[in-house]
Amino acid sequence: DVKVTQSSRYLVKRTGEKVFLECVQDMDHENMFWYRQDPGLGLRLIYFSYDVKMKEKGDIPEGYSVSREKKERFSLILESASTNQTSMYLCASRQDVGSPLHFGNGTRLTVT
Amino acid sequence: GQNIDQPTEMTATEGAIVQINCTYQTSGFNGLFWYQQHAGEAPTFLSYNVLDGLEEKGRFSSFLSRSKGYSYLLLKELQMKDSASYLCAVRDQTGANNLFFGTGTRLTVIP
């Protein structure tokens, strides 16, 4: 079974802090994604990566950056956290464009 | 862009059949996925349709009509554990073949 692991289940940060959300997958998947999930808005794509060192903006990249130095790890960075970034963050991976996404358990981030 | 529409909430009785609809508008349709998400948990993959017709997988079936921009997820012999949100997602060629999700349908199964 594919395992996508997010480093934290719950995080509480202060406004202006730099926040790192880590995601690791163990199935040698090429593609990795970061979504945020908010009530009434569904899952929205923040950033994605189709290969090591490669990154592309999704629908809502503002206020975020990412890093993919190794194939198995995809990090989401909030350079200066703001209260409107309080959300559930979901990491996902897939082998290729024809494969389904496999999700991590999510990180619930609260910015105060 | 993409527009995906599904009902917000549904309620059904244990043992019954329920159909969750999803309509979509997208410029580069390249497949439709259904995911199940229990409260506080990750979405899990249920089914995938890229051609018209019905795909059956145990108690769950999914149907697609590309000409109508329409899909449904059919759940038979409902069980209490089927209470969850069901997410419709469209893969879009013009969007780097990424998945774009609807807001989800929260299904409550009652005894």
Side-chain angles (χ1 to χ4, degrees):
Chain A
D1 255 5
V2 176
K3 194 162 177 65
V4 181
T5 303
Q6 295 183 228
S7 54
S8 303
R9 196 68 196 268
Y10 299 95
L11 272 180
V12 180
K13 297 290 181 181
R14 293 191 183 275
T15 301
E17 277 193 83
K18 191 168 186 175
V19 182
F20 292 86
L21 303 183
E22 306 287 347
C23 174
V24 177
Q25 50 91 6
D26 67 356
M27 285 300 291
D28 203 36
H29 281 179
E30 300 287 333
N31 307 162
M32 296 189 75
F33 304 82
W34 275 105
Y35 288 86
R36 63 177 282 178
Q37 186 174 29
D38 301 287
L41 296 177
L43 277 81
R44 293 179 292 165
L45 183 63
I46 305 171
Y47 265 95
F48 62 98
S49 169
Y50 277 14
D51 201 352
V52 177
K53 306 274 187 185
M54 176 266 185
K55 57 187 177 185
E56 292 285 345
K57 293 179 180 178
D59 294 325
I60 51 163
E62 296 77 21
Y64 304 95
S65 63
V66 289
S67 172
R68 193 163 182 205
E69 296 295 318
K70 294 185 178 181
K71 191 175 186 179
E72 67 270 19
R73 186 180 297 270
F74 193 35
S75 304
L76 181 69
I77 303 154
L78 287 67
E79 295 291 341
S80 177
S82 63
T83 54
N84 63 13
Q85 292 178 310
T86 291
S87 185
M88 170 68 84
Y89 289 88
L90 288 163
C91 175
S93 72
R94 69 182 181 190
Q95 178 54 42
D96 50 45
V97 297
S99 306
L101 292 178
H102 298 267
F103 286 88
N105 279 332
T107 297
R108 185 166 292 282
L109 173 68
T110 303
V111 182
T112 61
Chain B
Q2 303 82 20
N3 187 35
I4 302 167
D5 198 28
Q6 48 182 133
T8 303
E9 292 190 12
M10 298 182 72
T11 301
T13 306
E14 192 176 13
I17 299 173
V18 71
Q19 178 175 310
I20 302 174
N21 295 326
C22 172
T23 58
Y24 63 88
Q25 291 174 306
T26 182
S27 45
F29 178 81
N30 192 23
L32 187 142
F33 294 77
W34 284 96
Y35 282 82
Q36 180 191 59
Q37 186 178 25
H38 285 100
E41 296 183 12
T44 55
F45 169 69
L46 285 178
S47 69
Y48 167 62
N49 296 72
V50 66
L51 299 176
D52 291 350
L54 189 68
E55 293 283 340
E56 297 188 76
K57 201 186 277 189
R59 292 191 298 116
F60 292 10
S61 304
S62 57
F63 171 83
L64 176 67
S65 169
R66 289 172 295 169
S67 62
K68 295 181 179 176
Y70 168 68
S71 173
Y72 66 73
L73 181 69
L74 193 71
L75 291 74
K76 303 176 188 174
E77 301 168 18
L78 279 173
Q79 302 175 9
M80 299 299 290
K81 68 178 182 179
D82 296 330
S83 292
S85 289
Y86 291 87
L87 313 180
C88 173
V90 170
R91 188 170 65 204
D92 190 336
Q93 283 181 338
T94 63
N97 274 308
N98 291 330
L99 292 195
F100 298 90
F101 286 81
T103 54
T105 299
R106 183 181 300 175
L107 173 67
T108 302
V109 180
I110 57 176

